[in-house]
Amino acid sequence: MTDLIHPVILCGGSGTRLWPASRESFPKQFIPLAEPGRSSFQATAARLGDAATFARPAVITANDARFLVAEQLAQGGIKADILLEPCRRDSAPAVAVATLHAAARDAQALVLILPADHAVGDDAAFVQAAQAARAGARAGHIMTLGIAPTHPSTAYGYIQPGTSLSGEAGEAGARAVDRFLEKPDAARAAGLIAEGALWNGGYFLFRADVMLDELEAHAPAVLEAARAAVETATRDLDFVRLDEAAFARAPQISIDYAVMERTSRAGVLPVSFPWSDIGTWGALWEVSTRDADGNALRGRVAVQGTRNSLVHSAGEILTTVVGLDDVVVVTTDDAVLVTSRSGGAEVKGLVDTLRRQGEPEADAHRLMYRPWGSYQRIDVGARFQVKRITVKPGGRLSLQKHHHRAEHWVVVRGTAEVTVDGTVRLVHENEAAYLPIGCVHRLVNPGKIPLELIEVQVGSYTGEDDIIRIEDVYGREGR
Amino acid sequence: MTDLIHPVILCGGSGTRLWPASRESFPKQFIPLAEPGRSSFQATAARLGDAATFARPAVITANDARFLVAEQLAQGGIKADILLEPCRRDSAPAVAVATLHAAARDAQALVLILPADHAVGDDAAFVQAAQAARAGARAGHIMTLGIAPTHPSTAYGYIQPGTSLSGEAGEAGARAVDRFLEKPDAARAAGLIAEGALWNGGYFLFRADVMLDELEAHAPAVLEAARAAVETATRDLDFVRLDEAAFARAPQISIDYAVMERTSRAGVLPVSFPWSDIGTWGALWEVSTRDADGNALRGRVAVQGTRNSLVHSAGEILTTVVGLDDVVVVTTDDAVLVTSRSGGAEVKGLVDTLRRQGEPEADAHRLMYRPWGSYQRIDVGARFQVKRITVKPGGRLSLQKHHHRAEHWVVVRGTAEVTVDGTVRLVHENEAAYLPIGCVHRLVNPGKIPLELIEVQVGSYTGEDDIIRIEDVYGREGR
C-alpha cells in the first residue's frame, strides 16, 4: 500500500435545478458556471493535479455523457479512467464500482470520492484536507470532510462530530462521527451549528478493503451487482463500460443511506475552505464574483436599477433587467428562466412540468455533443432544417443514409472529406456538396483544424431518427 | 362638403418603451401586442371600415416603414394613401401635411387624426364617438375625444371640459375645452379626475380650413414647411414622398403645443370606451386578457407560482417564470427584458444606454422587412453568415454584387429565378445556386407561392454594406 490517493469523480448527475443552463443532455457539472471558461468537473479534476498526492483519477459517468467527459478532460490535459454507468443508480453503486476498480490494483488503495459539481474556493486547502484525512483512512475509518457552516443552510446535510480519533488520525484533526443529520429546517440548522455540527460535503476517503467490508455488511445487494458489473465490464475506446444487466440489479440508494449512516467506522475531518454544492441559482450567486451593486453578471447582459441579482446569458441573447432586486435571470439560446434568488429550489418542479408537456427544452440542448464534434440546429421550417456542424480534426461521422431528406453541405471553415455512394472527394472552404435522398454518405475531417459546415436538409421529414447507420468507428447506434 | 370623415393615421413613432419587441426597425404599432395576429396599426385601420362614415384613409409614416405599412394594409385588404415623412418632425408637421392632403380635394373636408399605436376596446363605440364629434367639427371646432379616466394615470395628459357647445354639437354631447393639462403626478391626477377632467386620447376631428387657419395663426413655420413639402411631393410606387428639404424645415413640435393649447376653437366630446396608449409593458398588461392568476401570457411561455405578470415570448424561445409576482418578461429571438410591471417607463433609458454601447439589438430586429420580402440572420461566424430569405411572389431583389463574399443559395420552398453574370436559370426546391465573389446577380420569385431559401455567405467580410447595387425596381439604395 502506498500513500497515493486514488480519486474517483462522481459525474453522473443530471442537475435540473440549474435549468435552463443545465439539462439532461448537458448537466451542470459540465458547464462553466462558478468560473468563466471552466466547468466544475474540469475544476474538480484539475484540483487533483499533484502527482505526489493523487494517482490517476477515475470518472464515473452516465453512458450518454462519455464523449463530453472525454472532451473536457482532454481540454484540461488530464488522463483518467472513464467508467460508464449503463443506467442511473444513485451513489452507493457508483462508490462500490469505484472501490472495486481501485481494489483490483491494490486491495488497500486509498480511495477519494468527489462530486463533480461542487465549487471549492481554495484548491490548496482542499488538497491539504485530503492529505490530512489520509491517516484516518489508513487506520480503517471512512473519512468525510465536515465543512464549517457559514450560514444555517437548509440545503445541506450535517455531521455531528464526536471525540478525536486516536493516534496519527486524531493528531491530524480527525474525529469520530456522532451522527449524520438530514437537511434540517432553518431553526434546527441554527441549533445544529450552535452545537458544532458541520456540513456534509459528500467527500469520502477510505481504504478499498474497508469500504468493501462495510458494503458487504450493510449493502450486500449493491456490492454484488457492482462486482458483477465490473467483472463483466468491456473496454470501448477509452471507456470501461459496466455490464448493463448486472449494474441494473443494484438497488438505487445513496452511499449515505447505504453505508455512512450505518457504519461504526465513519470519521470526519473538520475543514473550513469556501465550498458550495451549487445546488440552485441562488447558491451560484453566493459563490460568484459580484459587482458593487451585488450583481453577478455573466455574458451579454445589461442591468439598470437592479441589485443583488444573478443575470447569466449563456448564449448570444442580450439579457436585460430593469428595476428589480434579488432576481435570477438565466438565458440560453432557446430558453429563459426568471425567478427569485431564494426560490431556486422550485426550478426542478418547473422542469418536471415542462417534461410532462413534452417541451424539448426540458432535457435537450440545441448544441449536441457527439464523439466526432457537435451540431446545432440553427433554423427549421415545414420541409427543411439547417444545422451548423463542427467536426474535430480526425473526426468521422458514421457511414449513413436517409430515407426522407436530401442534404446540402457548405464548408465554411476547414476541409471535408465527403464520401457519396463510394466516391470520395475533398470539399474546401466555400465549396458545397450535395447528398441526394437515399445516397450512402460519410463526412470526415481529414485536416488539422476544426471543420465547420452548414447543412441544409430538405425533405418531408428531417427528424434525427431518419439515420440508417451502415458503419461507425465509435460503435454508436445514433448519428 | 360631405359628411364623410377623412381619417389620417399617424404612424411615425419608434416606441422604444416597448423594447425589445418594439424597435426602430419595427416599432410597436406594427407588432401584434394587444391582440394576437393583428397590430394596433391594423386594428386602427380596420376600425375605419364603415364606408358610409369614413373616406379612404391616409397614413403618415417614416420613410423606412413604408413597405411595412403597405404590407400590413394589404394583409387587411385596406386601400390607403401613404404619405412618407423623410425625417422625424413630431405631430404638428404631420397634422399639417394631412390637412393639406385632404384640403386639396375638399377645402372643408372633415379630417380625423388617429394615432396608430393605441388600443380601443370597443370599435363600435369609437365609430359612434367620431360620428357624434362631427357636429362640433362642422361648426368650426377642433374636436378632441376626452376619455373617461379609469384610474389616476400619470402617463396621460388631461382635458378639463367647459360648457356645452351650442346647437347640434352641444346636443351631441360636445363641450368647450377649459384647458389642456400635461401629465400630472399621482395626487394631482386624482384631483383632476375628481374635478371631471378627461384623458386626452390624441384624437382630433376638424374641418381642414379650420386647422389651416389655426396653424397659420399659431404655427406658421410648421404650415409653411408642410405646404412646401406637399406641393413638391413625388409619387413613388404607391407612396407620396414629401419633399425632404422642405419638410426638414418644419419645427419639431407636437400638435398639442403648436395648436391645441393656443387655439380658442378646441372642443371635447366625452367618451367612455376602453382605451390605452399601450405606452409601457405595464399598460399592455392592463388591456390584455388575463388568466385566473392575473397573468397575461403570450407565446411559448410557462409560469409557476407567479401572479399578475406579463410574460410575452415573441419568437421561438421558451420563456419561464417561477415564484415572482408583478413582473414583466419579454423575449424576442435575440433579446430579453425583465422588469417590474410598474417600472416600464425606465425601459426607454435602458434602450438609450444599449444604443450608446453600440448593441445592435437596441434598434435592429433580426427579421428585416424589405419590399421584396424579408430576411433573418440565423447564424454567424468568423468568416461566414447564414440567412433565411423569403421572397414574395413577384418580388425582385436588386441586381447586385459583393466585393468580399461568395454566396450559396439552397431553395427550400418555391422556385427562384437566379441571374448570374447575365445568365438566367430557374432553381427549384432542393436545388442550389453558387454566386462567386464579384459576380453580378439577382434573385426573383417568378412563382405563385413565397420563395424561401437558405443563403450561406462565405468571405472575409459579410456586413450588410457590402452590396453594390446596379439596378433596383424599388428605387432603393440598400439591399
Side-chain angles (χ1 to χ4, degrees):
Chain A
M1 163 182 163
T2 75
D3 242 14
L4 272 186
I5 295 172
H6 294 259
V8 180
I9 303 173
L10 300 188
C11 207
S14 64
T16 57
R17 286 186 299 169
L18 295 190
W19 187 90
S22 175
R23 303 183 197 178
E24 184 85 23
S25 76
F26 202 149
K28 67 169 180 165
Q29 59 269 27
F30 301 118
I31 304 172
L33 286 173
E35 46 184 319
R38 197 166 74 153
S39 71
S40 63
F41 167 59
Q42 289 177 306
T44 301
R47 203 170 288 135
L48 309 169
D50 174 19
T53 303
F54 299 106
R56 170 184 168 113
V59 179
I60 302 195
T61 193
N63 191 38
D64 286 349
R66 65 198 188 281
F67 296 112
L68 208 45
V69 166
E71 174 86 8
Q72 294 210 339
L73 288 172
Q75 281 171 9
I78 295 167
K79 304 284 186 192
D81 298 340
I82 303 175
L83 309 178
L84 300 180
E85 296 178 311
C87 53
R88 211 155 262 170
R89 275 296 176 272
D90 214 328
S91 59
V95 169
V97 162
T99 307
L100 291 162
H101 181 74
R105 282 176 259 174
D106 174 357
Q108 293 200 318
L110 289 179
V111 178
L112 173 64
I113 304 291
L114 307 90
D117 56 353
H118 291 183
V120 168
D122 184 339
D123 283 355
F126 175 84
V127 174
Q128 284 167 17
Q131 290 167 339
R134 273 192 298 209
R138 269 193 308 255
H141 296 282
I142 301 176
M143 295 298 301
T144 58
L145 300 185
I147 293 151
T150 56
H151 63 277
S153 172
T154 59
Y156 299 139
Y158 285 70
I159 298 175
Q160 191 69 268
T163 55
S164 275
L165 295 181
S166 57
E168 199 191 338
E171 285 160 28
R175 300 166 69 175
V177 169
D178 265 6
R179 57 190 170 131
F180 291 91
L181 302 134
E182 301 205 24
K183 294 174 187 176
D185 62 26
R188 177 88 184 108
L192 287 172
I193 292 173
E195 295 164 21
L198 305 165
W199 287 341
N200 181 357
Y203 300 92
F204 305 99
L205 181 69
F206 49 79
R207 263 181 18 222
D209 59 335
V210 170
M211 179 56 83
L212 294 179
D213 282 354
E214 295 303 295
L215 284 164
E216 185 67 58
H218 303 295
V222 168
L223 183 60
E224 183 279 322
R227 201 184 295 272
V230 170
E231 278 172 2
T232 52
T234 53
R235 286 239 162 214
D236 170 7
L237 302 174
D238 299 328
F239 308 111
V240 179
R241 198 188 283 273
L242 299 169
D243 183 77
E244 181 158 6
F247 193 76
R249 288 205 303 274
Q252 192 152 357
I253 186 170
S254 75
I255 190 66
D256 301 83
Y257 284 125
V259 172
M260 298 311 293
E261 297 185 2
R262 302 177 185 187
T263 181
S264 60
R265 301 169 86 167
V268 57
L269 183 79
V271 297
S272 60
F273 49 75
W275 171 89
S276 168
D277 76 348
I278 324 181
T280 63
W281 288 113
L284 180 63
W285 176 85
E286 300 271 357
V287 300
S288 295
T289 308
R290 303 193 286 273
D291 64 19
D293 294 322
N295 294 318
L297 308 178
R298 187 78 56 80
R300 293 198 68 209
V301 160
V303 302
Q304 201 162 285
T306 292
R307 283 169 306 180
N308 300 322
S309 294
L310 175 78
V311 189
H312 182 108
S313 179
E316 293 300 311
I317 294 172
L318 179 61
T319 303
T320 65
V321 183
V322 176
L324 286 173
D325 294 343
D326 303 305
V327 294
V328 165
V329 180
V330 181
T331 303
T332 66
D333 282 332
D334 58 357
V336 173
L337 169 73
V338 180
T339 187
S340 65
R341 202 150 54 67
S342 57
E346 301 151 15
V347 174
K348 192 174 190 310
L350 171 77
V351 177
D352 290 342
T353 302
L354 295 176
R355 201 174 278 156
R356 278 196 303 276
Q357 293 172 351
E359 304 289 0
E361 293 83 357
D363 292 312
H365 271 282
R366 244 190 231 186
L367 180 65
M368 296 296 281
Y369 285 88
R370 287 295 178 264
W372 44 260
S374 63
Y375 69 88
Q376 179 162 16
R377 193 184 79 197
I378 56 175
D379 199 10
V380 64
R383 287 174 52 85
F384 74 94
Q385 182 170 212
V386 187
K387 290 180 177 175
R388 187 212 287 215
I389 295 176
T390 304
V391 185
K392 297 180 218 176
R396 298 170 70 81
L397 277 71
S398 64
L399 187 68
Q400 57 184 236
K401 65 175 182 176
H402 313 292
H403 284 312
H404 303 291
R405 66 182 188 241
E407 293 175 342
H408 299 255
W409 288 344
V410 179
V411 173
V412 296
R413 184 175 180 227
T415 296
E417 181 194 295
V418 177
T419 304
V420 180
D421 288 334
T423 305
V424 182
R425 71 177 175 105
L426 292 180
V427 182
H428 302 97
E429 185 179 306
N430 192 32
E431 293 178 351
Y434 175 60
L435 312 166
I437 291 185
C439 80
V440 174
H441 59 276
R442 164 169 265 161
L443 175 63
V444 173
N445 178 358
K448 302 295 182 194
I449 60 168
L451 160 67
E452 280 187 292
L453 59 83
I454 303 299
E455 173 179 279
V456 183
Q457 306 175 351
V458 186
S460 54
Y461 178 73
T462 59
E464 271 313 297
D465 52 347
D466 178 19
I467 297 184
I468 293 82
R469 158 154 338 99
I470 296 139
E471 184 196 305
D472 182 45
V473 294
Y474 307 107
R476 295 161 311 137
E477 287 160 28
R479 175 165 178 164
Chain B
M1 163 181 163
T2 76
D3 242 14
L4 273 187
I5 295 172
H6 295 258
V8 181
I9 303 173
L10 301 188
C11 207
S14 65
T16 58
R17 284 185 301 170
L18 294 190
W19 187 90
S22 173
R23 302 184 196 177
E24 184 86 24
S25 75
F26 202 149
K28 67 170 179 165
Q29 59 268 30
F30 300 118
I31 305 172
L33 286 174
E35 48 185 316
R38 198 167 73 154
S39 70
S40 63
F41 166 60
Q42 289 176 307
T44 301
R47 202 168 290 133
L48 309 169
D50 174 19
T53 304
F54 299 105
R56 171 184 168 114
V59 179
I60 301 195
T61 193
N63 192 37
D64 287 349
R66 65 198 189 280
F67 297 112
L68 208 46
V69 166
E71 174 85 7
Q72 294 209 341
L73 287 171
Q75 281 171 9
I78 295 168
K79 304 284 186 192
D81 297 340
I82 304 175
L83 309 178
L84 300 180
E85 294 178 312
C87 53
R88 209 156 263 169
R89 277 293 176 274
D90 214 329
S91 59
V95 170
V97 162
T99 306
L100 290 162
H101 182 73
R105 279 176 263 174
D106 175 357
Q108 292 200 319
L110 288 180
V111 179
L112 172 64
I113 303 291
L114 308 91
D117 55 353
H118 291 184
V120 168
D122 184 339
D123 283 356
F126 175 85
V127 172
Q128 283 167 17
Q131 291 167 339
R134 273 192 298 209
R138 269 194 306 256
H141 297 280
I142 302 176
M143 294 299 300
T144 58
L145 300 184
I147 294 153
T150 57
H151 63 278
S153 172
T154 60
Y156 298 138
Y158 286 70
I159 297 173
Q160 192 69 267
T163 54
S164 275
L165 295 181
S166 57
E168 195 191 340
E171 284 160 27
R175 300 167 68 175
V177 170
D178 264 5
R179 56 189 170 131
F180 290 91
L181 301 135
E182 301 205 25
K183 294 174 186 175
D185 61 25
R188 177 86 184 108
L192 287 172
I193 292 173
E195 296 164 19
L198 305 165
W199 288 340
N200 181 356
Y203 300 92
F204 305 99
L205 180 70
F206 48 79
R207 264 184 14 224
D209 59 335
V210 170
M211 178 58 83
L212 293 179
D213 283 353
E214 295 304 295
L215 282 164
E216 185 69 57
H218 303 294
V222 168
L223 183 60
E224 183 279 323
R227 200 183 295 273
V230 170
E231 279 172 1
T232 51
T234 53
R235 285 240 163 213
D236 169 9
L237 304 174
D238 298 327
F239 307 111
V240 178
R241 196 187 285 274
L242 299 169
D243 183 75
E244 180 158 8
F247 192 74
R249 288 204 303 272
Q252 192 151 359
I253 186 169
S254 74
I255 190 67
D256 301 84
Y257 285 125
V259 172
M260 298 311 293
E261 297 185 3
R262 302 177 187 187
T263 181
S264 59
R265 303 169 84 167
V268 58
L269 183 79
V271 298
S272 60
F273 50 75
W275 171 88
S276 169
D277 76 348
I278 323 178
T280 63
W281 288 113
L284 180 62
W285 177 86
E286 299 271 357
V287 300
S288 296
T289 308
R290 304 192 286 273
D291 64 19
D293 294 321
N295 294 318
L297 308 178
R298 186 78 57 80
R300 293 199 67 210
V301 159
V303 303
Q304 201 162 285
T306 293
R307 282 170 306 181
N308 300 322
S309 293
L310 174 78
V311 189
H312 182 109
S313 180
E316 292 300 310
I317 294 172
L318 179 62
T319 302
T320 66
V321 182
V322 177
L324 286 174
D325 294 343
D326 303 306
V327 295
V328 165
V329 180
V330 181
T331 303
T332 66
D333 281 333
D334 58 356
V336 174
L337 170 72
V338 180
T339 188
S340 64
R341 202 152 53 68
S342 57
E346 301 151 16
V347 174
K348 193 176 190 307
L350 172 77
V351 177
D352 290 342
T353 302
L354 296 175
R355 202 173 276 156
R356 278 197 304 276
Q357 293 171 353
E359 304 289 359
E361 293 84 358
D363 292 312
H365 270 283
R366 245 191 228 186
L367 180 65
M368 297 295 283
Y369 285 87
R370 290 292 179 264
W372 44 260
S374 63
Y375 68 88
Q376 178 163 17
R377 194 184 82 199
I378 57 177
D379 199 10
V380 64
R383 286 174 53 84
F384 74 93
Q385 183 170 213
V386 187
K387 290 180 176 173
R388 186 212 287 214
I389 295 176
T390 304
V391 185
K392 297 179 217 177
R396 299 170 68 82
L397 278 70
S398 63
L399 186 68
Q400 57 184 239
K401 66 177 181 175
H402 313 292
H403 284 312
H404 303 292
R405 66 182 188 242
E407 293 176 342
H408 300 255
W409 289 344
V410 179
V411 174
V412 297
R413 183 174 181 227
T415 296
E417 180 194 294
V418 177
T419 305
V420 180
D421 288 334
T423 305
V424 182
R425 73 180 174 102
L426 291 180
V427 183
H428 301 98
E429 186 179 304
N430 193 32
E431 294 178 347
Y434 175 61
L435 313 165
I437 290 185
C439 79
V440 174
H441 58 277
R442 162 168 267 161
L443 176 63
V444 173
N445 179 359
K448 301 295 181 195
I449 61 168
L451 159 68
E452 279 188 292
L453 59 83
I454 303 298
E455 173 179 277
V456 183
Q457 306 175 350
V458 186
S460 53
Y461 178 74
T462 59
E464 270 313 297
D465 52 347
D466 178 19
I467 297 184
I468 294 83
R469 161 157 332 103
I470 295 140
E471 184 196 305
D472 181 46
V473 293
Y474 306 107
R476 294 162 312 137
E477 287 159 29
R479 173 168 181 162

